[in-house]
Amino acid sequence: MATFFGEVLSVYSRAVEEEDDEEELDENDEDAQIRKELEEKREVRLHWGPEVCDALKSGDKLPCSHFILAVGHNASRFLSVYVLASEKWESVGSASVWNERNQAGSGQQSGCVFFRRRDEPSVIICQLTCYIAEDQQFQWAEKVLDCLQHRDLNVTVLSDCSMADYKSVDYLCGSSTPFLRSLHSNAFSGPPVCPALEQPNILTGLPAAVYQCFSDVIGTDSVTMETYKPALAKLGKAITLDPCPSSDTLRKIVRTRDPQSNLYI
């Protein structure tokens, strides 16, 4: 456009600029909505039984002297075989966790189950076999521990780990595995049941203070499971280990360590 003095000015449409602003605003709103829906979908949700729900709604915390958390298939199935096979235990709740590895329905409730001892309700076990993403780990721990009384609470964590993640200056032959290592908080005062985890090894994921079992066997394994025995034996009367699990129980979930055989015992 030319002015009276011969200047040439650029001409732009104000209407077009306003449309661009509106589209950008709409896109931002859409992104925010998608982000909000994704956060809601990834929220960890606890599902307690009626009795526990009533207690929590009234503002009470669950009495808990011992909380045993098993992370991984060998740790969880060790509890199934040596502890939970007894009729002394009842399922009291579960958790649903949706993420990139757990996408069935609203989450895998069966992958995180809570049990309570019938004759001693202050002893609670959690079996965790589903994947907890990094952005969900703090949320999971916060929600679960917020339901429990913290006074005189003893927390024991059993966790699986591949031998490939273990770092050592010394060569370890196959006969050395599986083996147990531990990390303890300053509050721990009991006798050690296994060596402490050596540097420069680090533990990642959900466990923070654990009995970590390193194994060279992929999948559920009877010898790997038995490695956890000393960690729970120290709990005394709170946890009673079955010295001789039934063959039917073992046959369902345990594989032999014979590398030449794929048969189940």
Side-chain angles (χ1 to χ4, degrees):
M1 180 180 71
T3 65
F4 177 79
F5 298 101
E7 296 177 293
V8 178
L9 304 178
S10 59
V11 179
Y12 61 89
S13 171
R14 184 177 179 183
V16 172
E17 190 175 69
E18 289 178 348
E19 288 178 2
D20 291 341
D21 291 341
E22 290 177 359
E23 289 179 1
E24 183 177 349
L25 185 61
D26 290 341
E27 290 178 359
N28 290 339
D29 291 342
E30 184 177 356
D31 290 344
Q33 181 63 28
I34 293 175
R35 195 178 304 111
K36 181 180 178 182
E37 292 176 356
L38 185 59
E39 289 176 355
E40 292 177 352
K41 199 170 185 179
R42 294 178 71 89
E43 181 182 353
V44 176
R45 292 178 171 84
L46 301 182
H47 312 280
W48 296 108
E51 183 181 346
V52 175
C53 279
D54 292 342
L56 294 175
K57 287 179 181 178
S58 65
D60 296 332
K61 304 284 187 180
L62 295 181
C64 190
S65 60
H66 291 83
F67 179 64
I68 297 96
L69 169 64
V71 183
H73 291 284
N74 272 300
S76 295
R77 287 170 181 171
F78 162 72
L79 293 180
S80 293
V81 172
Y82 289 94
V83 180
L84 296 173
S86 166
E87 296 181 356
K88 293 181 179 180
W89 299 87
E90 61 179 346
S91 174
V92 293
S94 63
S96 58
V97 183
W98 186 96
N99 52 49
E100 54 272 19
R101 295 191 191 178
N102 302 330
Q103 298 183 0
S106 60
Q108 293 190 359
Q109 294 188 24
S110 60
C112 181
V113 185
F114 299 91
F115 298 88
R116 187 168 61 178
R117 186 168 160 175
R118 297 178 188 272
D119 58 345
E120 186 57 56
S122 66
V123 181
I124 298 175
I125 282 178
C126 175
Q127 287 182 307
L128 183 62
T129 55
C130 64
Y131 174 71
I132 307 292
E134 289 188 4
D135 62 311
Q136 297 172 315
Q137 291 167 9
F138 177 80
Q139 181 188 163
W140 184 95
E142 184 180 44
K143 286 192 172 184
V144 171
L145 293 177
D146 188 53
C147 296
L148 310 178
Q149 289 183 356
H150 294 170
R151 178 174 294 180
D152 299 325
L153 173 61
N154 186 317
V155 179
T156 301
V157 184
L158 311 179
S159 179
D160 297 350
C161 191
S162 170
M163 184 61 201
D165 296 328
Y166 181 74
K167 300 176 178 64
S168 174
V169 294
D170 300 321
Y171 171 74
L172 294 177
C173 63
S175 61
S176 302
T177 57
F179 58 88
L180 204 62
R181 293 292 185 268
S182 64
L183 287 177
H184 299 296
S185 66
N186 293 331
F188 180 81
S189 59
V193 299
C194 65
L197 184 67
E198 306 90 341
Q199 295 183 352
N201 290 283
I202 59 174
L203 298 183
T204 60
L206 186 65
V210 304
Y211 289 98
Q212 182 81 58
C213 180
F214 293 91
S215 177
D216 59 350
V217 177
I218 299 175
T220 308
D221 168 62
S222 59
V223 178
T224 299
M225 289 183 355
E226 290 181 358
T227 308
Y228 290 110
K229 281 185 176 181
L232 292 192
K234 71 179 182 65
L235 299 181
K237 296 181 179 180
I239 294 293
T240 302
L241 295 178
D242 186 348
C244 186
S246 69
S247 57
D248 290 338
T249 302
L250 289 171
R251 189 179 297 111
K252 291 178 181 178
I253 59 177
V254 181
R255 189 178 64 185
T256 64
R257 278 183 60 83
D258 182 2
Q260 305 301 321
S261 172
N262 290 326
L263 296 178
Y264 286 78
I265 61 174

